[in-house]
């Protein structure tokens, strides 16, 4: 289908110019026509008034009714000639007649017409009917044959009345040359048109100026509105809408050129701490300073946008594959690592950066943005840095999304089971603690670890029913062990979303009462990152849980950024050292220092300290030497079904020795 030629759109000013010109022109023509008619009527009215005055002041006083009926004597002719031709009218009159009611000329300045009878004209009949009448005449009547040399004349007929009642006795007729009147009318008309033209031109100019000013303001406002619609109000950077549009254009160009496009999602780590500590104004100042800093590290063709909050997007068209994108990301990371001066304070910032590539990771903007976002969250879980999208880490991959659709059914049908890993006292090997770890006995995929489905629940509405399910099963097992005479404390992990659940404390209180378990026999483990996600809410929820008598443990301690001052104010009972440090403490001196410092810190705060990831006898003995309270790991036991816990504890109590060179897990397995 052929494309239609492009027609330029008229702006407000052009539209007004075209739309107003015709109405103003028509208005001018109408006003001109009206004023011309008024001028002509006024000129003719003036002539009639002059004739009326002449009749009343100069003619009637010199006549009597008998003169009109019987005719004028000769001496009266001379008086009228002198009075009418010289004293009153002068040379501006072309002809004068006085008529009686019979249509006979009683007097005329052309004496040859006196006494003659002519057919009365319409104007003469009007005058004899007592009306002043006039017309512009071409002198076609017989009595006007000798006056045609004057051209057009204005004929005025005035009734002559000598009595208050009855019809007029006759009529006075005066012929005025029309040329002077026409000239006056033409002059007045020209003046009128000039004034009208000038007035309308002035009006048009004023309106044009007003509209031009309004058009300019509207255009500026439209440009500002368009800018605001496509840019972030705080930083002035492109917003998500403009970023998506530019990304779409970049993908179209990449399809033609067979080139690569990279999308980066940048999230500032601990930005909430800046807002909470220094106030939102300082946070805003920091965000404003980020835009220029990011732009300096990029090419002119690249785009930096604020996508919302402390999240920024970067578009890299024509990038050299993954290596080029990673190079740009590390450059941005280094740039953001330089200190910012905000309100006379020096702020250090770190960022988590996720990268997705076209066409490797997707061929549309929405998919690339989502996968860059997934990579950014992976980077954040790794405590900052740069992460290229990895389908294996994508909890929203098609396989995982399919798993998510089955998770609710699994909860409803009881497919989830709990395995328990014991914790032992390093001083004597006593087992009084276990940690509940959820597994999914999938009917087709077998036993699935929590990493395969718990993150899915964390980002959907399934986290609450999943947590309720785990707590219910853990307390049920705890109740069974109590009836068997076992005094165990069970630890259950909570997710960040659980601390947003306002009903968590009520649900837990109901379950404790239902299974008749002492709250002190339940320990809830919360990671540092869970607390930092919303410190105020976390503190409030933990305070309520503590009031129930439930023990609170900080899990994976050392892997996050918990403020010691904040940690001191939390109702915490247990500190669990992250297993990454415990696993490496015998080979890495820095890990050993961290573990030793964490144990001392926990004891100084009055907390019980647990070491995770204990897999060797050397680690066991070193932790005991450092004064750690409890140990958990494969050296002691691997997670086991609830049905195996009692038998394992029995064998452990019978066969464990603090001087053994192999752990209970290996010994019992063999």
């Amino acid at each position: 289908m052929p494309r239609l030629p492009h027609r330029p759109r008229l702006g407000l000013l052009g539209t007004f110019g075209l739309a107003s010109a015709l109405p103003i022109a028509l208005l001018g023509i109408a006003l001109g026509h009206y004023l011309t008619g008024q001028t002509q009527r006024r000129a003719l009215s003036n002539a009639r008034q002059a004739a009326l005055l002449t009749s009343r002041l100069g003619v009637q006083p010199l006549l009597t009714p008998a003169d009109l009926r019987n005719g004028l004597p000769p001496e009266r002719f001379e008086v009228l000639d002198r009075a009418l031709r010289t004293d009153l009218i002068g040379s501006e009159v072309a002809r004068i007649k006085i008529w009686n009611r019979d249509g006979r000329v009683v007097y005329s300045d052309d004496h040859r017409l006196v006494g003659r009878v002519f057919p009365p004209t319409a104007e003469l009949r009007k005058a004899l009917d007592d009306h002043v009448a006039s017309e512009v005449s071409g002198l076609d009547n017989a009595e006007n044959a000798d006056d045609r040399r004057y051209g057009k004349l204005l004929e005025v007929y005035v009734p002559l009345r000598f009595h208050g009642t009855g019809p007029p006795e006759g009529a006075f007729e005066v012929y005025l040359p029309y040329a002077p009147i026409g000239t006056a009318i033409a002059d007045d008309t020209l003046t009128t048109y000039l004034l009208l033209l000038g007035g309308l031109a002035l009006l048009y100019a004023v309106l044009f100026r007003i509209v031009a000013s309004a058009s300019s303001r509207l255009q500026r406002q439209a440009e500002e509105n368009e800018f605001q619609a496509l840019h972030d109000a705080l930083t002035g950077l492109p917003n998500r809408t403009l970023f998506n549009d530019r990304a779409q254009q970049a993908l179209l160009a990449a399809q033609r050129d067979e080139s690569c496009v990279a999308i980066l999602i940048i999230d500032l780590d601990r930005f909430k701490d800046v807002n909470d500590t220094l106030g939102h104004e300082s946070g805003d100042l920091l965000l404003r300073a980020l835009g220029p800093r990011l732009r300096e590290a990029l090419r002119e063709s690249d785009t930096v946008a604020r996508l919302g909050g402390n999240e920024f997007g970067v578009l890299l068209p024509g990038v050299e594959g993954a290596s080029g994108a990673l190079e740009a990301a590390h450059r941005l990371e280094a740039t953001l690592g330089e200190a910012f001066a905000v309100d006379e304070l020096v702020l250090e910032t770190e960022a988590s950066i996720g990268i997705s590539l076209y066409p490797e990771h997707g061929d549309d903007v929405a998919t690339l943005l989502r996968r860059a976002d997934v990579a950014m969250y992976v980077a954040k879980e790794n405590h900052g840095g740069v992460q290229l999208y990895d389908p294996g880490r994508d909890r929203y991959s098609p396989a995982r999304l399919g798993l998510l659709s089955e998770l609710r059914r699994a909860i409803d049908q009881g497919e989830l089971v709990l395995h328990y890993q014991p914790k032992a006292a390093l001083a004597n090997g006593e087992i009084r603690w276990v940690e509940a770890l959820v597994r999914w006995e999938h009917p087709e995929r077998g036993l699935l670890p929590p990493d395969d489905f718990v993150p899915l629940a964390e980002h959907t509405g399934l986290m609450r029913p999943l947590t309720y399910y785990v707590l219910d099963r853990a307390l049920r097992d705890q109740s069974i062990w109590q009836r068997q005479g076992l005094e165990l404390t069970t630890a259950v992990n909570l997710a960040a979303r659980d601390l947003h659940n306002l009903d968590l404390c009520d649900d837990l209180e109901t379950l404790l009462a239902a299974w008749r378990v002492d709250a002190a026999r339940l320990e809830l483990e919360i990671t540092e990152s869970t607390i930092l996600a919303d410190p105020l809410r976390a503190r409030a929820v933990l305070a309520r849980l503590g009031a129930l008598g439930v023990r609170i443990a900080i899990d994976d301690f050392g892997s996050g950024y918990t403020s010691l001052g904040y940690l001191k104010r939390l109702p915490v009972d247990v500190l669990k050292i992250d297993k990454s440090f415990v696993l490496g403490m015998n080979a890495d001196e820095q890990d050993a220092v961290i573990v030793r410092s964490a144990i001392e810190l926990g004891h100084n705060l009055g907390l019980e300290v647990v070491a995770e990831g204990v897999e060797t006898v050397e680690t066991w003995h070193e932790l005991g030497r450092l004064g750690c309270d409890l140990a958990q790991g494969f050296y002691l036991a691997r997670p086991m079904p609830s049905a195996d816990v009692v038998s394992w504890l029995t064998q452990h109590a019978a066969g464990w020795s603090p001087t053994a060179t192999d752990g209970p897990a290996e010994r019992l397995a063999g």
Side-chain angles (χ1 to χ4, degrees), residues 458-609:
E458 284 186 303
H459 292 81
T460 65
L462 291 180
M463 196 63 230
R464 179 181 177 182
L466 176 60
T467 300
Y468 189 92
Y469 180 96
V470 172
L471 286 170
D472 180 65
R473 291 302 176 94
L475 292 175
R476 182 199 65 176
D477 292 340
Q478 180 82 320
S479 177
I480 294 173
W481 294 332
Q482 283 183 177
R483 291 196 297 272
Q484 294 175 342
L486 293 178
E487 297 294 333
L488 291 175
T489 297
T490 304
V492 175
N493 291 281
L494 293 184
R497 188 176 286 268
D498 290 324
L499 295 186
H500 296 168
N501 178 13
L502 300 178
D503 298 324
L504 174 64
C505 296
D506 295 334
D507 291 344
L508 185 56
E509 191 171 11
T510 300
L511 290 173
L512 288 169
W515 293 111
R516 298 180 181 180
V517 173
D518 185 359
R521 293 296 182 186
L522 179 64
E523 184 176 292
L524 299 177
E525 297 187 1
I526 302 159
T527 63
E528 289 182 272
S529 58
T530 298
I531 297 172
L532 292 175
D534 192 340
L536 295 178
R537 184 188 291 269
R539 184 177 178 183
V541 173
L542 292 178
R544 284 195 64 191
L545 292 173
L548 289 177
V550 174
R551 287 164 54 88
I552 305 297
I554 299 296
D555 197 11
D556 299 336
F557 182 77
S559 62
Y561 306 92
T562 307
S563 164
L564 297 182
Y566 186 76
L567 181 62
K568 181 178 65 175
R569 295 192 297 270
L570 292 175
V572 176
D573 304 287
V574 180
L575 204 64
K576 296 187 71 174
I577 304 173
D578 186 73
K579 65 181 180 181
S580 62
F581 304 116
V582 176
L583 289 170
M585 63 180 293
N586 291 322
D588 190 321
E589 180 59 29
Q590 290 186 343
D591 284 347
V593 170
I594 292 174
V595 171
R596 182 169 59 251
S597 300
I599 294 171
E600 293 175 356
L601 172 64
H603 288 161
N604 289 336
L605 292 174
L607 306 179
E608 192 174 62
V609 179

Side-chain angles (χ1 to χ4, degrees), residues 274-505:
V274 176
N275 279 339
D276 292 343
T277 305
L278 303 178
H280 288 278
E281 184 176 352
S282 296
D284 290 347
L285 292 175
L286 177 59
L287 292 176
R288 288 195 190 100
L290 279 173
R293 182 77 66 87
L294 293 173
R295 279 247 44 98
E296 290 174 1
L298 296 171
R299 304 168 299 175
E300 188 67 28
S301 58
D302 300 333
T303 295
V304 179
R306 185 187 180 204
L307 304 183
N310 59 314
E311 188 174 271
F312 293 80
V314 175
L315 174 67
L316 304 176
V319 71
E320 295 295 330
S323 61
L326 286 168
E327 180 184 351
H330 286 300
R331 194 163 59 246
L332 290 169
E333 183 185 25
T335 297
L336 293 174
E338 300 174 7
F340 287 85
V342 176
D343 279 345
E344 301 181 354
L345 295 175
V346 177
L347 299 181
E348 300 286 343
T349 60
E350 295 179 0
S352 300
I353 303 177
I355 306 171
S356 65
L357 299 172
Y358 167 85
E360 182 178 347
H361 299 141
D363 56 7
D364 62 89
V365 176
T367 300
L368 292 171
L369 277 172
R370 185 183 63 78
R371 291 180 172 173
D373 203 48
V374 168
M376 183 272 292
Y377 275 106
V378 173
K380 190 171 286 292
E381 290 171 0
N382 296 335
H383 311 302
V386 175
Q387 180 68 46
L388 190 66
Y389 173 74
D390 178 5
R393 303 292 298 274
D394 189 354
R395 61 174 61 97
Y396 297 109
S397 63
R400 291 200 172 192
L401 289 175
L403 200 62
L404 177 62
S405 66
E406 302 176 41
L407 182 56
R408 184 178 294 278
R409 184 210 66 214
I411 296 173
D412 294 338
Q413 297 184 6
E415 294 178 5
L416 303 181
V417 297
L418 297 187
H419 285 195
Y420 294 91
Q421 188 173 35
K423 305 176 193 177
L426 282 159
N428 54 21
E430 182 183 9
I431 305 293
R432 289 189 291 111
W433 307 266
V434 291
E435 179 179 356
L437 302 168
V438 66
R439 304 288 190 264
W440 183 356
E441 291 184 330
H442 194 279
E444 298 174 359
R445 306 187 189 189
L447 192 65
L448 299 179
D451 287 347
D452 284 355
F453 59 90
V454 171
L456 295 176
E458 284 186 303
H459 292 81
T460 65
L462 291 180
M463 196 63 230
R464 179 181 177 182
L466 176 60
T467 300
Y468 189 92
Y469 180 96
V470 172
L471 286 170
D472 180 65
R473 291 302 176 94
L475 292 175
R476 182 199 65 176
D477 292 340
Q478 180 82 320
S479 177
I480 294 173
W481 294 332
Q482 283 183 177
R483 291 196 297 272
Q484 294 175 342
L486 293 178
E487 297 294 333
L488 291 175
T489 297
T490 304
V492 175
N493 291 281
L494 293 184
R497 188 176 286 268
D498 290 324
L499 295 186
H500 296 168
N501 178 13
L502 300 178
D503 298 324
L504 174 64
C505 296

